[in-house]
Amino acid sequence: MPTYLHIQRLRESSLRFRATTPQSRATATSRKGRSPLVSTHCGKRLGKILSDRIRAELPMLIGDMEGKINDGRGTLVRLGPDRDGWDQQRLFLLQISPAFQTIFKAAPDGVDGHNCFGESHG
């Protein structure tokens, strides 16, 4: 049967073993403010690569964003002014309903004179 002295020795040897594992050494050095996994040179090189990549990609990203903004503005212009109240929404629907009926009637007959059917291939 183990005595208190045996248990104490096992505990101490276990603590010594844990203190000498690579992971514990890495944790101990990172606590001092140094990263054991990335050297200063690698960090500077990575920073330069990322900075160059951002400089190269940023103009295209800005162009894409401006294009999307312009597309959204065009859609808003096409949709017309805001229709806040029920009366304004009802009036808008009454105004566009004849065009919808014309398109709906033309579809089964194959009449493709409206731009919603695309270009005529006949």
PDB file of all heavy atoms in Angstrom, residues 45-74:
ATOM      1  N   ARG A  45       8.345  38.987 -42.499  1.00  0.00           N
ATOM      2  CA  ARG A  45       8.126  38.529 -43.872  1.00  0.00           C
ATOM      3  C   ARG A  45       6.633  38.321 -44.138  1.00  0.00           C
ATOM      4  O   ARG A  45       6.117  38.730 -45.180  1.00  0.00           O
ATOM      5  CB  ARG A  45       8.895  37.223 -44.093  1.00  0.00           C
ATOM      6  CG  ARG A  45       8.700  36.612 -45.446  1.00  0.00           C
ATOM      7  CD  ARG A  45       9.466  37.378 -46.506  1.00  0.00           C
ATOM      8  NE  ARG A  45       9.270  36.724 -47.781  1.00  0.00           N
ATOM      9  CZ  ARG A  45       8.945  37.368 -48.891  1.00  0.00           C
ATOM     10  NH1 ARG A  45       8.867  38.675 -48.896  1.00  0.00           N
ATOM     11  NH2 ARG A  45       8.755  36.707 -49.997  1.00  0.00           N
ATOM     12  N   LEU A  46       5.950  37.701 -43.195  1.00  0.00           N
ATOM     13  CA  LEU A  46       4.516  37.495 -43.335  1.00  0.00           C
ATOM     14  C   LEU A  46       3.779  38.833 -43.404  1.00  0.00           C
ATOM     15  O   LEU A  46       2.870  39.010 -44.213  1.00  0.00           O
ATOM     16  CB  LEU A  46       3.986  36.652 -42.177  1.00  0.00           C
ATOM     17  CG  LEU A  46       2.497  36.339 -42.184  1.00  0.00           C
ATOM     18  CD1 LEU A  46       2.118  35.548 -43.426  1.00  0.00           C
ATOM     19  CD2 LEU A  46       2.116  35.571 -40.938  1.00  0.00           C
ATOM     20  N   GLY A  47       4.182  39.782 -42.579  1.00  0.00           N
ATOM     21  CA  GLY A  47       3.572  41.108 -42.606  1.00  0.00           C
ATOM     22  C   GLY A  47       3.756  41.790 -43.954  1.00  0.00           C
ATOM     23  O   GLY A  47       2.838  42.413 -44.480  1.00  0.00           O
ATOM     24  N   LYS A  48       4.938  41.657 -44.539  1.00  0.00           N
ATOM     25  CA  LYS A  48       5.208  42.261 -45.848  1.00  0.00           C
ATOM     26  C   LYS A  48       4.379  41.583 -46.937  1.00  0.00           C
ATOM     27  O   LYS A  48       3.804  42.265 -47.796  1.00  0.00           O
ATOM     28  CB  LYS A  48       6.686  42.167 -46.182  1.00  0.00           C
ATOM     29  CG  LYS A  48       7.040  42.814 -47.516  1.00  0.00           C
ATOM     30  CD  LYS A  48       8.512  42.859 -47.751  1.00  0.00           C
ATOM     31  CE  LYS A  48       8.909  43.411 -49.097  1.00  0.00           C
ATOM     32  NZ  LYS A  48       7.925  43.959 -49.959  1.00  0.00           N
ATOM     33  N   ILE A  49       4.291  40.264 -46.894  1.00  0.00           N
ATOM     34  CA  ILE A  49       3.501  39.540 -47.894  1.00  0.00           C
ATOM     35  C   ILE A  49       2.035  39.951 -47.817  1.00  0.00           C
ATOM     36  O   ILE A  49       1.397  40.229 -48.838  1.00  0.00           O
ATOM     37  CB  ILE A  49       3.655  38.015 -47.702  1.00  0.00           C
ATOM     38  CG1 ILE A  49       5.069  37.585 -48.090  1.00  0.00           C
ATOM     39  CG2 ILE A  49       2.619  37.254 -48.515  1.00  0.00           C
ATOM     40  CD1 ILE A  49       5.390  36.152 -47.722  1.00  0.00           C
ATOM     41  N   LEU A  50       1.501  40.008 -46.607  1.00  0.00           N
ATOM     42  CA  LEU A  50       0.100  40.405 -46.442  1.00  0.00           C
ATOM     43  C   LEU A  50      -0.132  41.848 -46.879  1.00  0.00           C
ATOM     44  O   LEU A  50      -1.128  42.162 -47.531  1.00  0.00           O
ATOM     45  CB  LEU A  50      -0.332  40.211 -44.989  1.00  0.00           C
ATOM     46  CG  LEU A  50      -0.475  38.761 -44.532  1.00  0.00           C
ATOM     47  CD1 LEU A  50      -0.749  38.712 -43.036  1.00  0.00           C
ATOM     48  CD2 LEU A  50      -1.556  38.055 -45.299  1.00  0.00           C
ATOM     49  N   SER A  51       0.790  42.717 -46.547  1.00  0.00           N
ATOM     50  CA  SER A  51       0.670  44.118 -46.930  1.00  0.00           C
ATOM     51  C   SER A  51       0.689  44.262 -48.450  1.00  0.00           C
ATOM     52  O   SER A  51      -0.130  45.000 -49.025  1.00  0.00           O
ATOM     53  CB  SER A  51       1.812  44.917 -46.298  1.00  0.00           C
ATOM     54  OG  SER A  51       1.770  46.245 -46.716  1.00  0.00           O
ATOM     55  N   ASP A  52       1.606  43.561 -49.124  1.00  0.00           N
ATOM     56  CA  ASP A  52       1.668  43.613 -50.589  1.00  0.00           C
ATOM     57  C   ASP A  52       0.395  43.062 -51.214  1.00  0.00           C
ATOM     58  O   ASP A  52      -0.118  43.606 -52.196  1.00  0.00           O
ATOM     59  CB  ASP A  52       2.875  42.824 -51.100  1.00  0.00           C
ATOM     60  CG  ASP A  52       4.197  43.477 -50.739  1.00  0.00           C
ATOM     61  OD1 ASP A  52       4.203  44.674 -50.355  1.00  0.00           O
ATOM     62  OD2 ASP A  52       5.238  42.785 -50.829  1.00  0.00           O
ATOM     63  N   ARG A  53      -0.120  41.999 -50.638  1.00  0.00           N
ATOM     64  CA  ARG A  53      -1.332  41.384 -51.169  1.00  0.00           C
ATOM     65  C   ARG A  53      -2.535  42.317 -51.027  1.00  0.00           C
ATOM     66  O   ARG A  53      -3.357  42.442 -51.930  1.00  0.00           O
ATOM     67  CB  ARG A  53      -1.590  40.079 -50.411  1.00  0.00           C
ATOM     68  CG  ARG A  53      -2.621  39.230 -50.996  1.00  0.00           C
ATOM     69  CD  ARG A  53      -2.101  38.600 -52.252  1.00  0.00           C
ATOM     70  NE  ARG A  53      -3.173  37.805 -52.809  1.00  0.00           N
ATOM     71  CZ  ARG A  53      -3.236  37.455 -54.053  1.00  0.00           C
ATOM     72  NH1 ARG A  53      -2.279  37.783 -54.857  1.00  0.00           N
ATOM     73  NH2 ARG A  53      -4.241  36.769 -54.493  1.00  0.00           N
ATOM     74  N   ILE A  54      -2.626  42.977 -49.895  1.00  0.00           N
ATOM     75  CA  ILE A  54      -3.726  43.927 -49.670  1.00  0.00           C
ATOM     76  C   ILE A  54      -3.626  45.086 -50.647  1.00  0.00           C
ATOM     77  O   ILE A  54      -4.621  45.505 -51.235  1.00  0.00           O
ATOM     78  CB  ILE A  54      -3.724  44.419 -48.202  1.00  0.00           C
ATOM     79  CG1 ILE A  54      -4.162  43.292 -47.281  1.00  0.00           C
ATOM     80  CG2 ILE A  54      -4.630  45.640 -48.030  1.00  0.00           C
ATOM     81  CD1 ILE A  54      -3.958  43.586 -45.808  1.00  0.00           C
ATOM     82  N   ARG A  55      -2.400  45.612 -50.851  1.00  0.00           N
ATOM     83  CA  ARG A  55      -2.219  46.714 -51.798  1.00  0.00           C
ATOM     84  C   ARG A  55      -2.607  46.296 -53.217  1.00  0.00           C
ATOM     85  O   ARG A  55      -3.131  47.106 -53.980  1.00  0.00           O
ATOM     86  CB  ARG A  55      -0.777  47.203 -51.779  1.00  0.00           C
ATOM     87  CG  ARG A  55      -0.523  48.192 -50.685  1.00  0.00           C
ATOM     88  CD  ARG A  55       0.811  48.906 -50.871  1.00  0.00           C
ATOM     89  NE  ARG A  55       1.390  49.047 -49.557  1.00  0.00           N
ATOM     90  CZ  ARG A  55       2.477  48.433 -49.126  1.00  0.00           C
ATOM     91  NH1 ARG A  55       3.175  47.673 -49.921  1.00  0.00           N
ATOM     92  NH2 ARG A  55       2.899  48.600 -47.900  1.00  0.00           N
ATOM     93  N   ALA A  56      -2.332  45.058 -53.579  1.00  0.00           N
ATOM     94  CA  ALA A  56      -2.660  44.588 -54.922  1.00  0.00           C
ATOM     95  C   ALA A  56      -4.165  44.370 -55.098  1.00  0.00           C
ATOM     96  O   ALA A  56      -4.709  44.642 -56.167  1.00  0.00           O
ATOM     97  CB  ALA A  56      -1.903  43.296 -55.222  1.00  0.00           C
ATOM     98  N   GLU A  57      -4.831  43.872 -54.072  1.00  0.00           N
ATOM     99  CA  GLU A  57      -6.245  43.511 -54.179  1.00  0.00           C
ATOM    100  C   GLU A  57      -7.203  44.652 -53.864  1.00  0.00           C
ATOM    101  O   GLU A  57      -8.343  44.641 -54.320  1.00  0.00           O
ATOM    102  CB  GLU A  57      -6.560  42.337 -53.238  1.00  0.00           C
ATOM    103  CG  GLU A  57      -5.812  41.059 -53.553  1.00  0.00           C
ATOM    104  CD  GLU A  57      -6.284  40.398 -54.832  1.00  0.00           C
ATOM    105  OE1 GLU A  57      -7.475  40.522 -55.158  1.00  0.00           O
ATOM    106  OE2 GLU A  57      -5.458  39.760 -55.498  1.00  0.00           O
ATOM    107  N   LEU A  58      -6.771  45.631 -53.097  1.00  0.00           N
ATOM    108  CA  LEU A  58      -7.667  46.693 -52.643  1.00  0.00           C
ATOM    109  C   LEU A  58      -8.301  47.485 -53.787  1.00  0.00           C
ATOM    110  O   LEU A  58      -9.512  47.727 -53.750  1.00  0.00           O
ATOM    111  CB  LEU A  58      -6.934  47.620 -51.674  1.00  0.00           C
ATOM    112  CG  LEU A  58      -7.806  48.603 -50.908  1.00  0.00           C
ATOM    113  CD1 LEU A  58      -8.858  47.867 -50.090  1.00  0.00           C
ATOM    114  CD2 LEU A  58      -6.959  49.475 -50.009  1.00  0.00           C
ATOM    115  N   PRO A  59      -7.560  47.890 -54.813  1.00  0.00           N
ATOM    116  CA  PRO A  59      -8.221  48.636 -55.895  1.00  0.00           C
ATOM    117  C   PRO A  59      -9.333  47.842 -56.583  1.00  0.00           C
ATOM    118  O   PRO A  59     -10.390  48.393 -56.904  1.00  0.00           O
ATOM    119  CB  PRO A  59      -7.075  48.936 -56.872  1.00  0.00           C
ATOM    120  CG  PRO A  59      -5.840  48.897 -56.046  1.00  0.00           C
ATOM    121  CD  PRO A  59      -6.105  47.861 -55.002  1.00  0.00           C
ATOM    122  N   MET A  60      -9.111  46.535 -56.786  1.00  0.00           N
ATOM    123  CA  MET A  60     -10.161  45.717 -57.404  1.00  0.00           C
ATOM    124  C   MET A  60     -11.369  45.597 -56.479  1.00  0.00           C
ATOM    125  O   MET A  60     -12.507  45.630 -56.937  1.00  0.00           O
ATOM    126  CB  MET A  60      -9.613  44.331 -57.740  1.00  0.00           C
ATOM    127  CG  MET A  60      -8.609  44.346 -58.889  1.00  0.00           C
ATOM    128  SD  MET A  60      -8.040  42.712 -59.338  1.00  0.00           S
ATOM    129  CE  MET A  60      -6.931  42.364 -57.982  1.00  0.00           C
ATOM    130  N   LEU A  61     -11.117  45.469 -55.195  1.00  0.00           N
ATOM    131  CA  LEU A  61     -12.209  45.374 -54.230  1.00  0.00           C
ATOM    132  C   LEU A  61     -13.025  46.659 -54.210  1.00  0.00           C
ATOM    133  O   LEU A  61     -14.258  46.622 -54.219  1.00  0.00           O
ATOM    134  CB  LEU A  61     -11.655  45.082 -52.835  1.00  0.00           C
ATOM    135  CG  LEU A  61     -12.668  45.015 -51.705  1.00  0.00           C
ATOM    136  CD1 LEU A  61     -13.642  43.867 -51.918  1.00  0.00           C
ATOM    137  CD2 LEU A  61     -11.957  44.885 -50.377  1.00  0.00           C
ATOM    138  N   ILE A  62     -12.339  47.782 -54.228  1.00  0.00           N
ATOM    139  CA  ILE A  62     -13.042  49.070 -54.247  1.00  0.00           C
ATOM    140  C   ILE A  62     -13.861  49.207 -55.522  1.00  0.00           C
ATOM    141  O   ILE A  62     -15.014  49.645 -55.495  1.00  0.00           O
ATOM    142  CB  ILE A  62     -12.034  50.225 -54.094  1.00  0.00           C
ATOM    143  CG1 ILE A  62     -11.456  50.225 -52.671  1.00  0.00           C
ATOM    144  CG2 ILE A  62     -12.686  51.571 -54.404  1.00  0.00           C
ATOM    145  CD1 ILE A  62     -10.311  51.197 -52.468  1.00  0.00           C
ATOM    146  N   GLY A  63     -13.285  48.784 -56.660  1.00  0.00           N
ATOM    147  CA  GLY A  63     -14.023  48.828 -57.922  1.00  0.00           C
ATOM    148  C   GLY A  63     -15.258  47.954 -57.893  1.00  0.00           C
ATOM    149  O   GLY A  63     -16.328  48.351 -58.371  1.00  0.00           O
ATOM    150  N   ASP A  64     -15.127  46.762 -57.336  1.00  0.00           N
ATOM    151  CA  ASP A  64     -16.285  45.866 -57.219  1.00  0.00           C
ATOM    152  C   ASP A  64     -17.366  46.474 -56.343  1.00  0.00           C
ATOM    153  O   ASP A  64     -18.561  46.402 -56.662  1.00  0.00           O
ATOM    154  CB  ASP A  64     -15.865  44.519 -56.636  1.00  0.00           C
ATOM    155  CG  ASP A  64     -15.045  43.685 -57.605  1.00  0.00           C
ATOM    156  OD1 ASP A  64     -15.028  44.025 -58.807  1.00  0.00           O
ATOM    157  OD2 ASP A  64     -14.431  42.702 -57.143  1.00  0.00           O
ATOM    158  N   MET A  65     -16.958  47.081 -55.237  1.00  0.00           N
ATOM    159  CA  MET A  65     -17.933  47.696 -54.328  1.00  0.00           C
ATOM    160  C   MET A  65     -18.635  48.862 -54.997  1.00  0.00           C
ATOM    161  O   MET A  65     -19.859  49.017 -54.871  1.00  0.00           O
ATOM    162  CB  MET A  65     -17.237  48.145 -53.046  1.00  0.00           C
ATOM    163  CG  MET A  65     -16.798  46.984 -52.175  1.00  0.00           C
ATOM    164  SD  MET A  65     -15.784  47.449 -50.770  1.00  0.00           S
ATOM    165  CE  MET A  65     -16.854  48.530 -49.874  1.00  0.00           C
ATOM    166  N   GLU A  66     -17.886  49.687 -55.731  1.00  0.00           N
ATOM    167  CA  GLU A  66     -18.515  50.824 -56.421  1.00  0.00           C
ATOM    168  C   GLU A  66     -19.486  50.328 -57.486  1.00  0.00           C
ATOM    169  O   GLU A  66     -20.563  50.911 -57.679  1.00  0.00           O
ATOM    170  CB  GLU A  66     -17.443  51.717 -57.025  1.00  0.00           C
ATOM    171  CG  GLU A  66     -16.689  52.524 -55.991  1.00  0.00           C
ATOM    172  CD  GLU A  66     -15.525  53.313 -56.582  1.00  0.00           C
ATOM    173  OE1 GLU A  66     -15.136  53.051 -57.742  1.00  0.00           O
ATOM    174  OE2 GLU A  66     -15.007  54.173 -55.865  1.00  0.00           O
ATOM    175  N   GLY A  67     -19.132  49.246 -58.172  1.00  0.00           N
ATOM    176  CA  GLY A  67     -20.036  48.670 -59.168  1.00  0.00           C
ATOM    177  C   GLY A  67     -21.327  48.185 -58.537  1.00  0.00           C
ATOM    178  O   GLY A  67     -22.421  48.409 -59.076  1.00  0.00           O
ATOM    179  N   LYS A  68     -21.224  47.513 -57.405  1.00  0.00           N
ATOM    180  CA  LYS A  68     -22.428  47.035 -56.706  1.00  0.00           C
ATOM    181  C   LYS A  68     -23.284  48.191 -56.215  1.00  0.00           C
ATOM    182  O   LYS A  68     -24.515  48.140 -56.272  1.00  0.00           O
ATOM    183  CB  LYS A  68     -22.042  46.149 -55.519  1.00  0.00           C
ATOM    184  CG  LYS A  68     -21.332  44.882 -55.892  1.00  0.00           C
ATOM    185  CD  LYS A  68     -22.273  43.907 -56.523  1.00  0.00           C
ATOM    186  CE  LYS A  68     -21.537  42.599 -56.799  1.00  0.00           C
ATOM    187  NZ  LYS A  68     -22.353  41.647 -57.506  1.00  0.00           N
ATOM    188  N   ILE A  69     -22.632  49.243 -55.729  1.00  0.00           N
ATOM    189  CA  ILE A  69     -23.380  50.430 -55.279  1.00  0.00           C
ATOM    190  C   ILE A  69     -24.128  51.053 -56.447  1.00  0.00           C
ATOM    191  O   ILE A  69     -25.315  51.403 -56.337  1.00  0.00           O
ATOM    192  CB  ILE A  69     -22.439  51.446 -54.607  1.00  0.00           C
ATOM    193  CG1 ILE A  69     -21.960  50.897 -53.262  1.00  0.00           C
ATOM    194  CG2 ILE A  69     -23.115  52.801 -54.440  1.00  0.00           C
ATOM    195  CD1 ILE A  69     -20.839  51.707 -52.631  1.00  0.00           C
ATOM    196  N   ASN A  70     -23.462  51.171 -57.596  1.00  0.00           N
ATOM    197  CA  ASN A  70     -24.117  51.744 -58.779  1.00  0.00           C
ATOM    198  C   ASN A  70     -25.260  50.870 -59.263  1.00  0.00           C
ATOM    199  O   ASN A  70     -26.297  51.381 -59.699  1.00  0.00           O
ATOM    200  CB  ASN A  70     -23.100  51.978 -59.894  1.00  0.00           C
ATOM    201  CG  ASN A  70     -22.151  53.112 -59.570  1.00  0.00           C
ATOM    202  OD1 ASN A  70     -22.477  54.014 -58.802  1.00  0.00           O
ATOM    203  ND2 ASN A  70     -20.963  53.064 -60.135  1.00  0.00           N
ATOM    204  N   ASP A  71     -25.088  49.540 -59.206  1.00  0.00           N
ATOM    205  CA  ASP A  71     -26.177  48.635 -59.577  1.00  0.00           C
ATOM    206  C   ASP A  71     -27.381  48.840 -58.660  1.00  0.00           C
ATOM    207  O   ASP A  71     -28.527  48.869 -59.118  1.00  0.00           O
ATOM    208  CB  ASP A  71     -25.727  47.174 -59.497  1.00  0.00           C
ATOM    209  CG  ASP A  71     -24.736  46.801 -60.579  1.00  0.00           C
ATOM    210  OD1 ASP A  71     -24.571  47.589 -61.546  1.00  0.00           O
ATOM    211  OD2 ASP A  71     -24.102  45.728 -60.452  1.00  0.00           O
ATOM    212  N   GLY A  72     -27.121  48.968 -57.374  1.00  0.00           N
ATOM    213  CA  GLY A  72     -28.205  49.198 -56.417  1.00  0.00           C
ATOM    214  C   GLY A  72     -28.909  50.512 -56.661  1.00  0.00           C
ATOM    215  O   GLY A  72     -30.147  50.591 -56.589  1.00  0.00           O
ATOM    216  N   ARG A  73     -28.147  51.546 -56.975  1.00  0.00           N
ATOM    217  CA  ARG A  73     -28.766  52.855 -57.277  1.00  0.00           C
ATOM    218  C   ARG A  73     -29.617  52.771 -58.535  1.00  0.00           C
ATOM    219  O   ARG A  73     -30.700  53.360 -58.605  1.00  0.00           O
ATOM    220  CB  ARG A  73     -27.681  53.916 -57.430  1.00  0.00           C
ATOM    221  CG  ARG A  73     -27.068  54.330 -56.118  1.00  0.00           C
ATOM    222  CD  ARG A  73     -26.025  55.407 -56.303  1.00  0.00           C
ATOM    223  NE  ARG A  73     -25.456  55.770 -55.013  1.00  0.00           N
ATOM    224  CZ  ARG A  73     -24.244  56.239 -54.841  1.00  0.00           C
ATOM    225  NH1 ARG A  73     -23.451  56.419 -55.881  1.00  0.00           N
ATOM    226  NH2 ARG A  73     -23.807  56.548 -53.644  1.00  0.00           N
ATOM    227  N   GLY A  74     -29.123  52.050 -59.542  1.00  0.00           N
ATOM    228  CA  GLY A  74     -29.904  51.873 -60.772  1.00  0.00           C
ATOM    229  C   GLY A  74     -31.215  51.150 -60.500  1.00  0.00           C
ATOM    230  O   GLY A  74     -32.260  51.502 -61.061  1.00  0.00           O
TER     231      GLY A  74
END
